[in-house]
Amino acid sequence: AGWHSQSFDLEFDGHGEGLGVRNALKLRSVGGAVECWVMGIQPTERGKQVKRPKGYYLNDLSLLILDDAGEVVASVLGGARRDVSCSVVMEEGREYVAVPVSF
């Protein structure tokens, strides 16, 4: 019971070959249904400069949360914001995956 938090470092593909990250975060509820909040925070106000010409900063962090059937159960499109967050009520015994994406 109570509030818990954990931080994870993720890195976007810097070679222009994909939309997502190299890793995703697996989530599972133990002991009943729980509400889970997932937040993505870029390290600077404008994000990191990758995949674009000098002077253009990538700042479109978005999040998808999928259930164990592969269905999207929560999502948020970040646009020009430093951080994004979304929540999902996780059912006990089911697995979920949080996937940050950037275009």
Side-chain angles (χ1 to χ4, degrees), residues 25-85:
L25 178 62
K26 288 187 180 181
L27 307 165
R28 181 183 300 244
S29 171
V30 178
V34 297
E35 182 177 21
C36 178
W37 282 85
V38 177
M39 176 179 268
I41 304 173
Q42 297 187 81
T44 65
E45 279 297 317
R46 292 291 311 253
K48 289 187 174 180
Q49 181 179 342
V50 292
K51 300 196 300 185
R52 303 285 189 232
K54 186 174 183 176
Y56 185 90
Y57 297 94
L58 186 66
N59 63 346
D60 61 349
L61 181 62
S62 301
L63 293 171
L64 300 173
I65 300 179
L66 302 110
D67 63 14
D68 50 11
E71 298 291 325
V72 175
V73 294
S75 65
V76 61
L77 299 175
R81 289 182 278 171
R82 180 176 179 251
D83 54 72
V84 295
S85 62

